[in-house]
């Protein structure tokens, strides 16, 4: 257990000196774009990357010569306790292109995320979690307007699961607020549904409303370590990702 404390402390120390700006795309458990009160297993560590369609990125900060572009991010995350998740994410931004229009320089937008679950799911009540992106800057430097905070948001989420004939149905309802006005289209009440079939519980189907659009998605855990996710927004914008996950306590889980 001691090595979990050490890793958690190192991650926190790593976050502190950074100027951070900004759900599987963040390394934090959830659906596709909306948060949930689900948590990864205690001891889980993730490293992954995600393709971000331009329809998913903020309308400010991810433009080159006045046009939005597709990009990607990569992340590391850790669940040191069953009630706490942390992640650190780098999202690539175009810095410069050559005369032929090829990208020759990228810059990085860095941000940290944290989620805490004060109430675990019970037989008659949902799990409840609260979370934030860019937790350090927002908590300690609220007046630093030069910090871009492209992805910063705060949320509270409730999730309840129901089982029938070996299948699992999950319902999530959340309230989310983005700090920047240009992300306000994703503010307010958001929610989604997940489904795991009894014949292959490692496979999850998702449908969600983000506050502005609808997303259909699916993810799958293969060989206990490889997680794949694919989704489509409004039936026309694709994005997806891949990550490796390990349990540092040596525990093995079906999903």
């Amino acid at each position: 257990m001691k090595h979990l404390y050490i890793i958690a402390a190192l991650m926190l120390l790593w976050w502190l000196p950074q100027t951070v700006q900004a759900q599987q795309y963040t390394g934090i458990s959830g659906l596709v774009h909306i948060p949930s009160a689900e948590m990864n297993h205690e001891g889980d560590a993730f490293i992954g990357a995600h393709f971000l369609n331009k329809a998913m990125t903020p309308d400010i900060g991810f433009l080159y010569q006045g046009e939005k572009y597709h990009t990607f991010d990569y992340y590391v995350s850790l669940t040191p306790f069953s009630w706490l998740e942390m992640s650190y994410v780098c999202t690539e931004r175009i810095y410069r292109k050559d005369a032929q229009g090829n990208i020759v320089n990228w810059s990085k937008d860095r941000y940290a995320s944290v989620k805490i679950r004060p109430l675990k799911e019970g037989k008659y009540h949902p799990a409840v979690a609260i979370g934030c992106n860019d937790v350090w800057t927002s908590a300690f430097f609220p007046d630093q307007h030069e910090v871009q905070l492209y992805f910063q948001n705060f949320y509270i989420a409730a999730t309840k699961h129901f089982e029938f004939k070996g299948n699992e149905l999950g319902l999530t309802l959340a309230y989310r607020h983005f700090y920047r006005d240009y992300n306000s289209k994703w503010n307010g009440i958001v929610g989604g549904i997940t489904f795991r079939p009894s014949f292959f519980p490692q496979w999850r189907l998702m449908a969600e409303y983000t506050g502005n659009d609808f997303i259909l998605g699916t993810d799958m855990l293969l060989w206990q370590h490889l997680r794949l996710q694919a989704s489509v927004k409004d039936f026309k914008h694709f994005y997806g990702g891949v990550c490796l996950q390990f349990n540092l306590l040596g525990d093995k889980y079906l999903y």
Side-chain angles (χ1 to χ4, degrees), residues 205-225:
L205 300 171
M206 297 167 284
E208 63 184 58
Y209 175 65
T210 69
N212 182 71
D213 30 52
F214 291 93
I215 295 177
L216 298 177
T218 181
D219 59 20
M220 184 180 298
L221 179 63
L222 301 175
W223 307 295
Q224 297 185 334
H225 297 297

Side-chain angles (χ1 to χ4, degrees), residues 10 13 23 25 27 37 59 70 73-74 94 131 143-144 153-154 157 163 174 184 205 219 243:
L10 288 174
L13 289 173
Q23 259 64 56
Y25 76 96
D59 293 334
H70 305 312
D73 70 13
Y74 46 95
I94 294 177
D143 297 324
Q144 290 191 3
N153 66 87
F154 309 85
E163 292 190 8
S184 62
L205 300 171
D219 59 20
C243 76

